[in-house]
Amino acid sequence: KQEVTQIPAALSVPEGENLVLNCSFTDSAIYNLQWFRQDPGKGLTSLLLIQSSQREQTSGRLNASLDKSSGRSTLYIAASQPGDSATYLCAGPFSGGYNKLIFGAGTRLAVHP
Amino acid sequence: GAGVSQSPRYKVAKRGQDVALRCDPISGHVSLFWYQQALGQGPEFLTYFQNEAQLDKSGLPSDRFFAERPEGSVSTLKIQRTQQEDSAVYLCASSLERTGYNQPQHFGDGTRLSIL
């Protein structure tokens, strides 16, 4: 059974810090790895999608990497801002999964001024 | 166009009642997914449609859960004889292409279901 684990479960940092959120998965047969943001009471907003043939993707202050062999992905947030406060979830579809996503439990991020 | 729309946003029902949750995917999206999210957890897969065909329902917790997408657009998730453990947020997502491995899934805001 595929499992996705996210560390840390929660993080509180002052504004301006650079952050690394970790995601690990047990099955290396992953088609892509997607990072989402979830605000309280809201659905999920897709941030970055890394295809299995890629090693990283960048969007603004966000950079995500994927290492299939070690079963790890990281989301790097540069110069964090209070508006970045949210829960960050990683997920991937695995072989035979019809693109159904297996999610980690998320990292709850709080960035204080 | 508009994003994925779900209704109602909130639903309170008494134990034993039937409920129906609606999802309007992004126009033209072939794939549609339902997920269940318990408090403090990541979403868990329930079922998947490709157009009107339900290709995977392995995540449905019991035979009280039923989903349909009769015309390949709007989908309804129905829960019969609700129980307290059904309380959760139900999320719908759609993606553009059939295989979708390189297509992101776009999520609605969910329906928060509370069973009393």
Side-chain angles (χ1 to χ4, degrees), chain A residues 31-32 34 36 38 41-44 46 49 51 89 98-101 103-105, chain B residues 9 33 35 37 42-43 45 56 58 91 99-102 104-105 107-109:
Chain A
Y31 289 105
N32 62 58
Q34 199 166 355
F36 295 90
Q38 187 172 32
K42 295 290 188 179
L44 281 64
S46 179
L49 183 150
Q51 299 175 20
L89 296 141
Y98 282 118
N99 202 28
K100 68 183 184 187
L101 296 178
F103 282 87
Chain B
R9 286 296 319 280
F33 304 82
Y35 294 87
Q37 186 175 24
F45 170 80
D56 188 346
S58 62
L91 295 166
T99 55
Y101 288 129
N102 293 323
Q105 292 187 21
F107 282 77
D109 284 342

PDB file of all heavy atoms in Angstrom, chain A residues 31-32 34 36 38 41-44 46 49 51 89 98-101 103-105, chain B residues 9 33 35 37 42-43 45 56 58 91 99-102 104-105 107-109:
ATOM      1  N   TYR A  31       3.797   8.675 -10.718  1.00  0.00           N
ATOM      2  CA  TYR A  31       3.729   9.315 -12.025  1.00  0.00           C
ATOM      3  C   TYR A  31       4.056  10.791 -11.961  1.00  0.00           C
ATOM      4  O   TYR A  31       4.656  11.362 -12.867  1.00  0.00           O
ATOM      5  CB  TYR A  31       2.347   9.113 -12.631  1.00  0.00           C
ATOM      6  CG  TYR A  31       2.097   7.696 -13.070  1.00  0.00           C
ATOM      7  CD1 TYR A  31       1.270   6.858 -12.339  1.00  0.00           C
ATOM      8  CD2 TYR A  31       2.701   7.194 -14.220  1.00  0.00           C
ATOM      9  CE1 TYR A  31       1.043   5.555 -12.744  1.00  0.00           C
ATOM     10  CE2 TYR A  31       2.482   5.893 -14.631  1.00  0.00           C
ATOM     11  CZ  TYR A  31       1.660   5.080 -13.895  1.00  0.00           C
ATOM     12  OH  TYR A  31       1.447   3.790 -14.291  1.00  0.00           O
ATOM     13  N   ASN A  32       3.591  11.435 -10.915  1.00  0.00           N
ATOM     14  CA  ASN A  32       3.966  12.823 -10.685  1.00  0.00           C
ATOM     15  C   ASN A  32       3.740  13.127  -9.213  1.00  0.00           C
ATOM     16  O   ASN A  32       3.152  12.334  -8.476  1.00  0.00           O
ATOM     17  CB  ASN A  32       3.195  13.796 -11.587  1.00  0.00           C
ATOM     18  CG  ASN A  32       1.699  13.762 -11.350  1.00  0.00           C
ATOM     19  OD1 ASN A  32       1.225  13.998 -10.247  1.00  0.00           O
ATOM     20  ND2 ASN A  32       0.940  13.473 -12.397  1.00  0.00           N
ATOM     21  N   GLN A  34       2.405  16.271  -6.713  1.00  0.00           N
ATOM     22  CA  GLN A  34       1.732  17.564  -6.740  1.00  0.00           C
ATOM     23  C   GLN A  34       1.727  18.154  -5.339  1.00  0.00           C
ATOM     24  O   GLN A  34       1.419  17.453  -4.365  1.00  0.00           O
ATOM     25  CB  GLN A  34       0.296  17.375  -7.263  1.00  0.00           C
ATOM     26  CG  GLN A  34      -0.375  18.619  -7.758  1.00  0.00           C
ATOM     27  CD  GLN A  34      -1.642  18.300  -8.574  1.00  0.00           C
ATOM     28  OE1 GLN A  34      -1.986  17.153  -8.855  1.00  0.00           O
ATOM     29  NE2 GLN A  34      -2.350  19.348  -8.943  1.00  0.00           N
ATOM     30  N   PHE A  36      -0.040  21.047  -2.932  1.00  0.00           N
ATOM     31  CA  PHE A  36      -1.250  21.833  -2.806  1.00  0.00           C
ATOM     32  C   PHE A  36      -1.158  22.734  -1.581  1.00  0.00           C
ATOM     33  O   PHE A  36      -0.479  22.433  -0.599  1.00  0.00           O
ATOM     34  CB  PHE A  36      -2.486  20.935  -2.621  1.00  0.00           C
ATOM     35  CG  PHE A  36      -2.816  20.071  -3.788  1.00  0.00           C
ATOM     36  CD1 PHE A  36      -2.269  18.799  -3.901  1.00  0.00           C
ATOM     37  CD2 PHE A  36      -3.702  20.504  -4.758  1.00  0.00           C
ATOM     38  CE1 PHE A  36      -2.592  17.977  -4.970  1.00  0.00           C
ATOM     39  CE2 PHE A  36      -4.034  19.688  -5.826  1.00  0.00           C
ATOM     40  CZ  PHE A  36      -3.478  18.423  -5.932  1.00  0.00           C
ATOM     41  N   GLN A  38      -3.922  24.497   1.197  1.00  0.00           N
ATOM     42  CA  GLN A  38      -5.307  24.500   1.655  1.00  0.00           C
ATOM     43  C   GLN A  38      -5.466  25.543   2.757  1.00  0.00           C
ATOM     44  O   GLN A  38      -4.835  25.452   3.802  1.00  0.00           O
ATOM     45  CB  GLN A  38      -5.740  23.116   2.159  1.00  0.00           C
ATOM     46  CG  GLN A  38      -7.221  23.041   2.493  1.00  0.00           C
ATOM     47  CD  GLN A  38      -7.691  21.629   2.812  1.00  0.00           C
ATOM     48  OE1 GLN A  38      -6.936  20.817   3.361  1.00  0.00           O
ATOM     49  NE2 GLN A  38      -8.933  21.308   2.469  1.00  0.00           N
ATOM     50  N   GLY A  41     -11.241  25.962   5.731  1.00  0.00           N
ATOM     51  CA  GLY A  41     -12.574  25.958   5.156  1.00  0.00           C
ATOM     52  C   GLY A  41     -12.619  25.999   3.640  1.00  0.00           C
ATOM     53  O   GLY A  41     -13.695  26.197   3.049  1.00  0.00           O
ATOM     54  N   LYS A  42     -11.483  25.828   3.032  1.00  0.00           N
ATOM     55  CA  LYS A  42     -11.418  25.904   1.566  1.00  0.00           C
ATOM     56  C   LYS A  42     -10.948  24.584   0.965  1.00  0.00           C
ATOM     57  O   LYS A  42     -10.484  23.688   1.668  1.00  0.00           O
ATOM     58  CB  LYS A  42     -10.441  27.015   1.142  1.00  0.00           C
ATOM     59  CG  LYS A  42     -10.884  28.408   1.549  1.00  0.00           C
ATOM     60  CD  LYS A  42     -12.084  28.851   0.750  1.00  0.00           C
ATOM     61  CE  LYS A  42     -12.402  30.303   1.002  1.00  0.00           C
ATOM     62  NZ  LYS A  42     -13.566  30.768   0.199  1.00  0.00           N
ATOM     63  N   GLY A  43     -11.064  24.528  -0.361  1.00  0.00           N
ATOM     64  CA  GLY A  43     -10.533  23.368  -1.060  1.00  0.00           C
ATOM     65  C   GLY A  43      -9.035  23.496  -1.253  1.00  0.00           C
ATOM     66  O   GLY A  43      -8.380  24.311  -0.616  1.00  0.00           O
ATOM     67  N   LEU A  44      -8.508  22.671  -2.156  1.00  0.00           N
ATOM     68  CA  LEU A  44      -7.070  22.634  -2.389  1.00  0.00           C
ATOM     69  C   LEU A  44      -6.712  23.443  -3.630  1.00  0.00           C
ATOM     70  O   LEU A  44      -7.387  23.330  -4.657  1.00  0.00           O
ATOM     71  CB  LEU A  44      -6.608  21.195  -2.590  1.00  0.00           C
ATOM     72  CG  LEU A  44      -6.419  20.327  -1.344  1.00  0.00           C
ATOM     73  CD1 LEU A  44      -7.716  20.091  -0.609  1.00  0.00           C
ATOM     74  CD2 LEU A  44      -5.783  19.008  -1.724  1.00  0.00           C
ATOM     75  N   SER A  46      -3.758  23.954  -6.346  1.00  0.00           N
ATOM     76  CA  SER A  46      -2.535  23.339  -6.856  1.00  0.00           C
ATOM     77  C   SER A  46      -1.429  24.383  -6.978  1.00  0.00           C
ATOM     78  O   SER A  46      -1.627  25.445  -7.557  1.00  0.00           O
ATOM     79  CB  SER A  46      -2.801  22.711  -8.227  1.00  0.00           C
ATOM     80  OG  SER A  46      -1.620  22.121  -8.742  1.00  0.00           O
ATOM     81  N   LEU A  49       3.298  20.966  -9.925  1.00  0.00           N
ATOM     82  CA  LEU A  49       3.211  19.564 -10.308  1.00  0.00           C
ATOM     83  C   LEU A  49       4.538  19.185 -10.955  1.00  0.00           C
ATOM     84  O   LEU A  49       4.964  19.838 -11.924  1.00  0.00           O
ATOM     85  CB  LEU A  49       2.050  19.318 -11.267  1.00  0.00           C
ATOM     86  CG  LEU A  49       1.798  17.875 -11.704  1.00  0.00           C
ATOM     87  CD1 LEU A  49       0.319  17.647 -12.002  1.00  0.00           C
ATOM     88  CD2 LEU A  49       2.620  17.472 -12.914  1.00  0.00           C
ATOM     89  N   GLN A  51       6.494  16.283 -12.872  1.00  0.00           N
ATOM     90  CA  GLN A  51       6.357  15.022 -13.585  1.00  0.00           C
ATOM     91  C   GLN A  51       7.484  14.076 -13.166  1.00  0.00           C
ATOM     92  O   GLN A  51       8.546  14.515 -12.723  1.00  0.00           O
ATOM     93  CB  GLN A  51       6.393  15.264 -15.088  1.00  0.00           C
ATOM     94  CG  GLN A  51       5.277  16.167 -15.576  1.00  0.00           C
ATOM     95  CD  GLN A  51       5.409  16.498 -17.043  1.00  0.00           C
ATOM     96  OE1 GLN A  51       6.091  15.794 -17.788  1.00  0.00           O
ATOM     97  NE2 GLN A  51       4.748  17.556 -17.464  1.00  0.00           N
ATOM     98  N   LEU A  89      -0.062  20.344   1.388  1.00  0.00           N
ATOM     99  CA  LEU A  89      -0.241  18.907   1.193  1.00  0.00           C
ATOM    100  C   LEU A  89       0.502  18.461  -0.052  1.00  0.00           C
ATOM    101  O   LEU A  89       0.514  19.159  -1.060  1.00  0.00           O
ATOM    102  CB  LEU A  89      -1.719  18.572   1.026  1.00  0.00           C
ATOM    103  CG  LEU A  89      -2.616  18.844   2.232  1.00  0.00           C
ATOM    104  CD1 LEU A  89      -3.945  19.406   1.805  1.00  0.00           C
ATOM    105  CD2 LEU A  89      -2.824  17.572   3.034  1.00  0.00           C
ATOM    106  N   TYR A  98      -5.142   5.137 -11.834  1.00  0.00           N
ATOM    107  CA  TYR A  98      -6.051   6.008 -12.575  1.00  0.00           C
ATOM    108  C   TYR A  98      -5.884   7.461 -12.162  1.00  0.00           C
ATOM    109  O   TYR A  98      -6.836   8.209 -12.166  1.00  0.00           O
ATOM    110  CB  TYR A  98      -7.519   5.610 -12.349  1.00  0.00           C
ATOM    111  CG  TYR A  98      -7.972   4.430 -13.132  1.00  0.00           C
ATOM    112  CD1 TYR A  98      -8.399   3.281 -12.479  1.00  0.00           C
ATOM    113  CD2 TYR A  98      -8.000   4.438 -14.519  1.00  0.00           C
ATOM    114  CE1 TYR A  98      -8.832   2.184 -13.182  1.00  0.00           C
ATOM    115  CE2 TYR A  98      -8.431   3.341 -15.236  1.00  0.00           C
ATOM    116  CZ  TYR A  98      -8.848   2.220 -14.570  1.00  0.00           C
ATOM    117  OH  TYR A  98      -9.280   1.130 -15.276  1.00  0.00           O
ATOM    118  N   ASN A  99      -4.715   7.827 -11.779  1.00  0.00           N
ATOM    119  CA  ASN A  99      -4.450   9.197 -11.382  1.00  0.00           C
ATOM    120  C   ASN A  99      -5.117   9.585 -10.068  1.00  0.00           C
ATOM    121  O   ASN A  99      -5.187  10.748  -9.722  1.00  0.00           O
ATOM    122  CB  ASN A  99      -4.850  10.203 -12.472  1.00  0.00           C
ATOM    123  CG  ASN A  99      -4.112  11.525 -12.328  1.00  0.00           C
ATOM    124  OD1 ASN A  99      -3.014  11.573 -11.810  1.00  0.00           O
ATOM    125  ND2 ASN A  99      -4.741  12.601 -12.762  1.00  0.00           N
ATOM    126  N   LYS A 100      -5.647   8.621  -9.311  1.00  0.00           N
ATOM    127  CA  LYS A 100      -6.176   8.982  -7.996  1.00  0.00           C
ATOM    128  C   LYS A 100      -5.004   9.352  -7.105  1.00  0.00           C
ATOM    129  O   LYS A 100      -3.964   8.702  -7.105  1.00  0.00           O
ATOM    130  CB  LYS A 100      -6.987   7.848  -7.397  1.00  0.00           C
ATOM    131  CG  LYS A 100      -6.198   6.613  -7.014  1.00  0.00           C
ATOM    132  CD  LYS A 100      -7.147   5.532  -6.500  1.00  0.00           C
ATOM    133  CE  LYS A 100      -6.389   4.316  -6.017  1.00  0.00           C
ATOM    134  NZ  LYS A 100      -7.310   3.200  -5.673  1.00  0.00           N
ATOM    135  N   LEU A 101      -5.181  10.425  -6.365  1.00  0.00           N
ATOM    136  CA  LEU A 101      -4.102  10.958  -5.558  1.00  0.00           C
ATOM    137  C   LEU A 101      -4.082  10.322  -4.172  1.00  0.00           C
ATOM    138  O   LEU A 101      -5.123  10.165  -3.535  1.00  0.00           O
ATOM    139  CB  LEU A 101      -4.238  12.470  -5.432  1.00  0.00           C
ATOM    140  CG  LEU A 101      -4.117  13.271  -6.736  1.00  0.00           C
ATOM    141  CD1 LEU A 101      -4.332  14.755  -6.478  1.00  0.00           C
ATOM    142  CD2 LEU A 101      -2.763  13.029  -7.394  1.00  0.00           C
ATOM    143  N   PHE A 103      -2.625  11.222  -0.572  1.00  0.00           N
ATOM    144  CA  PHE A 103      -2.183  12.436   0.100  1.00  0.00           C
ATOM    145  C   PHE A 103      -1.430  12.138   1.379  1.00  0.00           C
ATOM    146  O   PHE A 103      -1.709  11.152   2.074  1.00  0.00           O
ATOM    147  CB  PHE A 103      -3.392  13.306   0.478  1.00  0.00           C
ATOM    148  CG  PHE A 103      -3.982  14.078  -0.652  1.00  0.00           C
ATOM    149  CD1 PHE A 103      -4.939  13.511  -1.469  1.00  0.00           C
ATOM    150  CD2 PHE A 103      -3.603  15.394  -0.881  1.00  0.00           C
ATOM    151  CE1 PHE A 103      -5.503  14.232  -2.513  1.00  0.00           C
ATOM    152  CE2 PHE A 103      -4.157  16.124  -1.907  1.00  0.00           C
ATOM    153  CZ  PHE A 103      -5.107  15.547  -2.733  1.00  0.00           C
ATOM    154  N   GLY A 104      -0.500  13.045   1.724  1.00  0.00           N
ATOM    155  CA  GLY A 104       0.000  13.099   3.076  1.00  0.00           C
ATOM    156  C   GLY A 104      -0.990  13.850   3.958  1.00  0.00           C
ATOM    157  O   GLY A 104      -1.973  14.410   3.464  1.00  0.00           O
ATOM    158  N   ALA A 105      -0.709  13.873   5.264  1.00  0.00           N
ATOM    159  CA  ALA A 105      -1.609  14.538   6.210  1.00  0.00           C
ATOM    160  C   ALA A 105      -1.401  16.044   6.234  1.00  0.00           C
ATOM    161  O   ALA A 105      -2.212  16.765   6.823  1.00  0.00           O
ATOM    162  CB  ALA A 105      -1.444  13.960   7.612  1.00  0.00           C
TER     163      ALA A 105
ATOM    164  N   ARG B   9     -22.471  23.978   0.519  1.00  0.00           N
ATOM    165  CA  ARG B   9     -21.189  24.145   1.211  1.00  0.00           C
ATOM    166  C   ARG B   9     -21.221  23.459   2.571  1.00  0.00           C
ATOM    167  O   ARG B   9     -20.226  22.916   3.016  1.00  0.00           O
ATOM    168  CB  ARG B   9     -20.861  25.626   1.391  1.00  0.00           C
ATOM    169  CG  ARG B   9     -20.425  26.340   0.136  1.00  0.00           C
ATOM    170  CD  ARG B   9     -19.106  25.803  -0.433  1.00  0.00           C
ATOM    171  NE  ARG B   9     -18.097  25.498   0.552  1.00  0.00           N
ATOM    172  CZ  ARG B   9     -17.299  26.385   1.147  1.00  0.00           C
ATOM    173  NH1 ARG B   9     -17.400  27.659   0.851  1.00  0.00           N
ATOM    174  NH2 ARG B   9     -16.382  25.997   2.021  1.00  0.00           N
ATOM    175  N   PHE B  33     -13.127  13.273  -9.709  1.00  0.00           N
ATOM    176  CA  PHE B  33     -12.770  12.496  -8.523  1.00  0.00           C
ATOM    177  C   PHE B  33     -13.560  13.005  -7.322  1.00  0.00           C
ATOM    178  O   PHE B  33     -13.820  14.199  -7.198  1.00  0.00           O
ATOM    179  CB  PHE B  33     -11.281  12.654  -8.201  1.00  0.00           C
ATOM    180  CG  PHE B  33     -10.355  12.283  -9.321  1.00  0.00           C
ATOM    181  CD1 PHE B  33     -10.086  13.178 -10.345  1.00  0.00           C
ATOM    182  CD2 PHE B  33      -9.730  11.055  -9.352  1.00  0.00           C
ATOM    183  CE1 PHE B  33      -9.225  12.857 -11.390  1.00  0.00           C
ATOM    184  CE2 PHE B  33      -8.863  10.718 -10.380  1.00  0.00           C
ATOM    185  CZ  PHE B  33      -8.614  11.619 -11.401  1.00  0.00           C
ATOM    186  N   TYR B  35     -13.216  12.861  -3.062  1.00  0.00           N
ATOM    187  CA  TYR B  35     -12.349  12.551  -1.944  1.00  0.00           C
ATOM    188  C   TYR B  35     -13.085  12.875  -0.643  1.00  0.00           C
ATOM    189  O   TYR B  35     -13.963  13.751  -0.611  1.00  0.00           O
ATOM    190  CB  TYR B  35     -11.067  13.391  -1.975  1.00  0.00           C
ATOM    191  CG  TYR B  35     -10.137  13.114  -3.139  1.00  0.00           C
ATOM    192  CD1 TYR B  35     -10.302  13.763  -4.350  1.00  0.00           C
ATOM    193  CD2 TYR B  35      -9.072  12.211  -3.012  1.00  0.00           C
ATOM    194  CE1 TYR B  35      -9.446  13.519  -5.431  1.00  0.00           C
ATOM    195  CE2 TYR B  35      -8.216  11.959  -4.072  1.00  0.00           C
ATOM    196  CZ  TYR B  35      -8.409  12.623  -5.276  1.00  0.00           C
ATOM    197  OH  TYR B  35      -7.556  12.381  -6.336  1.00  0.00           O
ATOM    198  N   GLN B  37     -12.295  14.055   3.349  1.00  0.00           N
ATOM    199  CA  GLN B  37     -11.239  14.591   4.201  1.00  0.00           C
ATOM    200  C   GLN B  37     -11.727  14.710   5.638  1.00  0.00           C
ATOM    201  O   GLN B  37     -12.616  15.514   5.938  1.00  0.00           O
ATOM    202  CB  GLN B  37     -10.752  15.947   3.690  1.00  0.00           C
ATOM    203  CG  GLN B  37      -9.553  16.484   4.458  1.00  0.00           C
ATOM    204  CD  GLN B  37      -8.996  17.775   3.883  1.00  0.00           C
ATOM    205  OE1 GLN B  37      -9.703  18.523   3.205  1.00  0.00           O
ATOM    206  NE2 GLN B  37      -7.712  18.051   4.125  1.00  0.00           N
ATOM    207  N   GLY B  42      -5.233  14.401   5.429  1.00  0.00           N
ATOM    208  CA  GLY B  42      -5.292  14.650   4.013  1.00  0.00           C
ATOM    209  C   GLY B  42      -6.509  13.979   3.401  1.00  0.00           C
ATOM    210  O   GLY B  42      -7.091  13.063   3.982  1.00  0.00           O
ATOM    211  N   PRO B  43      -6.920  14.430   2.236  1.00  0.00           N
ATOM    212  CA  PRO B  43      -8.069  13.798   1.574  1.00  0.00           C
ATOM    213  C   PRO B  43      -7.784  12.343   1.231  1.00  0.00           C
ATOM    214  O   PRO B  43      -6.640  11.978   0.945  1.00  0.00           O
ATOM    215  CB  PRO B  43      -8.233  14.638   0.299  1.00  0.00           C
ATOM    216  CG  PRO B  43      -7.568  15.943   0.601  1.00  0.00           C
ATOM    217  CD  PRO B  43      -6.435  15.604   1.513  1.00  0.00           C
ATOM    218  N   PHE B  45      -9.145   9.147  -1.287  1.00  0.00           N
ATOM    219  CA  PHE B  45      -9.873   8.868  -2.523  1.00  0.00           C
ATOM    220  C   PHE B  45     -11.139   8.052  -2.255  1.00  0.00           C
ATOM    221  O   PHE B  45     -11.131   7.092  -1.471  1.00  0.00           O
ATOM    222  CB  PHE B  45      -8.956   8.088  -3.467  1.00  0.00           C
ATOM    223  CG  PHE B  45      -9.629   7.520  -4.673  1.00  0.00           C
ATOM    224  CD1 PHE B  45      -9.901   8.315  -5.779  1.00  0.00           C
ATOM    225  CD2 PHE B  45     -10.020   6.190  -4.714  1.00  0.00           C
ATOM    226  CE1 PHE B  45     -10.514   7.784  -6.896  1.00  0.00           C
ATOM    227  CE2 PHE B  45     -10.640   5.659  -5.826  1.00  0.00           C
ATOM    228  CZ  PHE B  45     -10.890   6.456  -6.924  1.00  0.00           C
ATOM    229  N   ASP B  56     -13.426   3.531 -11.087  1.00  0.00           N
ATOM    230  CA  ASP B  56     -12.818   3.080  -9.835  1.00  0.00           C
ATOM    231  C   ASP B  56     -13.688   3.552  -8.683  1.00  0.00           C
ATOM    232  O   ASP B  56     -13.917   4.753  -8.539  1.00  0.00           O
ATOM    233  CB  ASP B  56     -11.394   3.639  -9.709  1.00  0.00           C
ATOM    234  CG  ASP B  56     -10.630   3.058  -8.522  1.00  0.00           C
ATOM    235  OD1 ASP B  56     -11.245   2.430  -7.636  1.00  0.00           O
ATOM    236  OD2 ASP B  56      -9.403   3.244  -8.473  1.00  0.00           O
ATOM    237  N   SER B  58     -13.161   1.968  -5.576  1.00  0.00           N
ATOM    238  CA  SER B  58     -12.536   1.181  -4.520  1.00  0.00           C
ATOM    239  C   SER B  58     -12.460   1.900  -3.188  1.00  0.00           C
ATOM    240  O   SER B  58     -12.312   1.272  -2.146  1.00  0.00           O
ATOM    241  CB  SER B  58     -11.120   0.766  -4.957  1.00  0.00           C
ATOM    242  OG  SER B  58     -10.311   1.900  -5.170  1.00  0.00           O
ATOM    243  N   LEU B  91     -14.703  16.460  -0.957  1.00  0.00           N
ATOM    244  CA  LEU B  91     -14.087  17.278  -1.991  1.00  0.00           C
ATOM    245  C   LEU B  91     -14.264  16.628  -3.356  1.00  0.00           C
ATOM    246  O   LEU B  91     -14.138  15.417  -3.498  1.00  0.00           O
ATOM    247  CB  LEU B  91     -12.596  17.444  -1.708  1.00  0.00           C
ATOM    248  CG  LEU B  91     -12.212  18.211  -0.445  1.00  0.00           C
ATOM    249  CD1 LEU B  91     -10.743  18.003  -0.127  1.00  0.00           C
ATOM    250  CD2 LEU B  91     -12.519  19.684  -0.604  1.00  0.00           C
ATOM    251  N   THR B  99      -6.122  10.386 -19.218  1.00  0.00           N
ATOM    252  CA  THR B  99      -5.111   9.740 -18.387  1.00  0.00           C
ATOM    253  C   THR B  99      -4.679  10.670 -17.263  1.00  0.00           C
ATOM    254  O   THR B  99      -4.589  10.269 -16.126  1.00  0.00           O
ATOM    255  CB  THR B  99      -3.875   9.338 -19.213  1.00  0.00           C
ATOM    256  OG1 THR B  99      -3.375  10.499 -19.886  1.00  0.00           O
ATOM    257  CG2 THR B  99      -4.245   8.289 -20.232  1.00  0.00           C
ATOM    258  N   GLY B 100      -4.440  11.910 -17.651  1.00  0.00           N
ATOM    259  CA  GLY B 100      -4.263  12.931 -16.623  1.00  0.00           C
ATOM    260  C   GLY B 100      -3.025  12.853 -15.793  1.00  0.00           C
ATOM    261  O   GLY B 100      -2.911  13.559 -14.800  1.00  0.00           O
ATOM    262  N   TYR B 101      -2.068  11.996 -16.140  1.00  0.00           N
ATOM    263  CA  TYR B 101      -0.927  11.874 -15.265  1.00  0.00           C
ATOM    264  C   TYR B 101      -0.103  13.148 -15.203  1.00  0.00           C
ATOM    265  O   TYR B 101       0.601  13.378 -14.225  1.00  0.00           O
ATOM    266  CB  TYR B 101      -0.040  10.701 -15.707  1.00  0.00           C
ATOM    267  CG  TYR B 101      -0.674   9.366 -15.420  1.00  0.00           C
ATOM    268  CD1 TYR B 101      -0.788   8.402 -16.406  1.00  0.00           C
ATOM    269  CD2 TYR B 101      -1.176   9.078 -14.163  1.00  0.00           C
ATOM    270  CE1 TYR B 101      -1.377   7.183 -16.136  1.00  0.00           C
ATOM    271  CE2 TYR B 101      -1.760   7.856 -13.884  1.00  0.00           C
ATOM    272  CZ  TYR B 101      -1.861   6.920 -14.880  1.00  0.00           C
ATOM    273  OH  TYR B 101      -2.446   5.711 -14.611  1.00  0.00           O
ATOM    274  N   ASN B 102      -0.165  13.967 -16.210  1.00  0.00           N
ATOM    275  CA  ASN B 102       0.572  15.207 -16.169  1.00  0.00           C
ATOM    276  C   ASN B 102      -0.352  16.409 -16.097  1.00  0.00           C
ATOM    277  O   ASN B 102       0.053  17.522 -16.385  1.00  0.00           O
ATOM    278  CB  ASN B 102       1.496  15.304 -17.392  1.00  0.00           C
ATOM    279  CG  ASN B 102       2.588  14.263 -17.346  1.00  0.00           C
ATOM    280  OD1 ASN B 102       3.109  13.964 -16.274  1.00  0.00           O
ATOM    281  ND2 ASN B 102       2.916  13.671 -18.472  1.00  0.00           N
ATOM    282  N   PRO B 104      -2.836  18.652 -13.628  1.00  0.00           N
ATOM    283  CA  PRO B 104      -3.193  18.871 -12.222  1.00  0.00           C
ATOM    284  C   PRO B 104      -4.676  18.659 -12.004  1.00  0.00           C
ATOM    285  O   PRO B 104      -5.486  18.847 -12.908  1.00  0.00           O
ATOM    286  CB  PRO B 104      -2.790  20.329 -12.002  1.00  0.00           C
ATOM    287  CG  PRO B 104      -2.850  20.959 -13.351  1.00  0.00           C
ATOM    288  CD  PRO B 104      -2.450  19.886 -14.312  1.00  0.00           C
ATOM    289  N   GLN B 105      -5.013  18.257 -10.793  1.00  0.00           N
ATOM    290  CA  GLN B 105      -6.411  18.159 -10.416  1.00  0.00           C
ATOM    291  C   GLN B 105      -6.823  19.486  -9.792  1.00  0.00           C
ATOM    292  O   GLN B 105      -6.108  20.050  -8.972  1.00  0.00           O
ATOM    293  CB  GLN B 105      -6.625  17.000  -9.441  1.00  0.00           C
ATOM    294  CG  GLN B 105      -6.416  15.645 -10.108  1.00  0.00           C
ATOM    295  CD  GLN B 105      -6.787  14.483  -9.213  1.00  0.00           C
ATOM    296  OE1 GLN B 105      -7.543  14.619  -8.265  1.00  0.00           O
ATOM    297  NE2 GLN B 105      -6.229  13.322  -9.537  1.00  0.00           N
ATOM    298  N   PHE B 107      -9.574  21.414  -7.500  1.00  0.00           N
ATOM    299  CA  PHE B 107     -10.505  21.070  -6.439  1.00  0.00           C
ATOM    300  C   PHE B 107     -11.549  22.152  -6.207  1.00  0.00           C
ATOM    301  O   PHE B 107     -11.272  23.354  -6.342  1.00  0.00           O
ATOM    302  CB  PHE B 107      -9.742  20.833  -5.130  1.00  0.00           C
ATOM    303  CG  PHE B 107      -9.062  19.503  -5.057  1.00  0.00           C
ATOM    304  CD1 PHE B 107      -7.874  19.273  -5.732  1.00  0.00           C
ATOM    305  CD2 PHE B 107      -9.618  18.467  -4.310  1.00  0.00           C
ATOM    306  CE1 PHE B 107      -7.253  18.037  -5.676  1.00  0.00           C
ATOM    307  CE2 PHE B 107      -9.005  17.225  -4.250  1.00  0.00           C
ATOM    308  CZ  PHE B 107      -7.817  17.013  -4.930  1.00  0.00           C
ATOM    309  N   GLY B 108     -12.742  21.707  -5.819  1.00  0.00           N
ATOM    310  CA  GLY B 108     -13.748  22.606  -5.311  1.00  0.00           C
ATOM    311  C   GLY B 108     -13.513  22.906  -3.833  1.00  0.00           C
ATOM    312  O   GLY B 108     -12.582  22.360  -3.225  1.00  0.00           O
ATOM    313  N   ASP B 109     -14.351  23.770  -3.264  1.00  0.00           N
ATOM    314  CA  ASP B 109     -14.204  24.132  -1.854  1.00  0.00           C
ATOM    315  C   ASP B 109     -14.768  23.074  -0.903  1.00  0.00           C
ATOM    316  O   ASP B 109     -14.609  23.191   0.304  1.00  0.00           O
ATOM    317  CB  ASP B 109     -14.862  25.484  -1.579  1.00  0.00           C
ATOM    318  CG  ASP B 109     -14.019  26.650  -2.078  1.00  0.00           C
ATOM    319  OD1 ASP B 109     -12.807  26.438  -2.319  1.00  0.00           O
ATOM    320  OD2 ASP B 109     -14.561  27.753  -2.229  1.00  0.00           O
TER     321      ASP B 109
END
